[in-house]
Amino acid sequence: MDIDSIRQMVQNRDFIATKHVAARMAQRQVSEEQIITAIMNGRIIEERPKQKPYPKCLIAGNVERKIAGVSFIMPLYIACALGDTLYLLSTYWERPRDWYRS
């Protein structure tokens, strides 16, 4: 997987947010803008190229997060699948121990 290809898809708005990621965004107070920023300045930290139906990866990128009115720069993690489009699968502020089971 190539982060530049993923960034190009994001720039072209060629991505789909799954229902699961939408629920996690609401639950974890993550905006679409924060996800885009994390992908644009982040890096792939884990790959699952043999996953079906599409290869998956975990991207980590630093974004601004406000907690109780105080701004912090924190890593945001985005689980993605790369097919004809980019599928946003989930998002986390802290990296889970096992973000995706094979």
Side-chain angles (χ1 to χ4, degrees):
M1 270 185 210
D2 176 37
I3 190 68
D4 292 328
S5 299
I6 292 171
R7 287 179 180 147
Q8 189 63 49
M9 291 177 129
V10 169
Q11 282 183 328
N12 294 339
R13 305 229 18 111
D14 187 14
F15 61 88
I16 295 171
T18 63
K19 289 180 182 180
H20 181 79
V21 80
R24 294 299 171 255
M25 288 169 67
Q27 178 186 43
R28 298 172 178 149
Q29 299 177 340
V30 176
S31 69
E32 184 177 292
E33 180 181 327
Q34 287 171 314
I35 288 177
I36 290 170
T37 299
I39 292 172
M40 297 307 287
N41 73 29
R43 62 187 179 91
I44 296 172
I45 61 169
E46 194 167 332
E47 293 185 53
R48 307 268 183 171
K50 295 181 182 178
Q51 290 294 306
K52 301 291 182 194
Y54 302 112
K56 294 177 176 58
C57 69
L58 184 64
I59 298 172
N62 290 328
V63 297
E64 183 178 0
R65 180 181 185 193
K66 288 188 178 183
I67 301 172
V70 179
S71 291
F72 298 92
I73 300 298
M74 298 180 69
L76 180 64
Y77 299 90
I78 302 101
C80 305
L82 187 58
D84 295 338
T85 189
L86 179 67
Y87 296 91
L88 304 177
L89 305 175
S90 196
T91 187
Y92 309 88
W93 285 109
E94 294 182 23
R95 184 176 182 188
R97 289 186 192 113
D98 186 13
W99 70 275
Y100 188 84
R101 295 182 187 264
S102 336

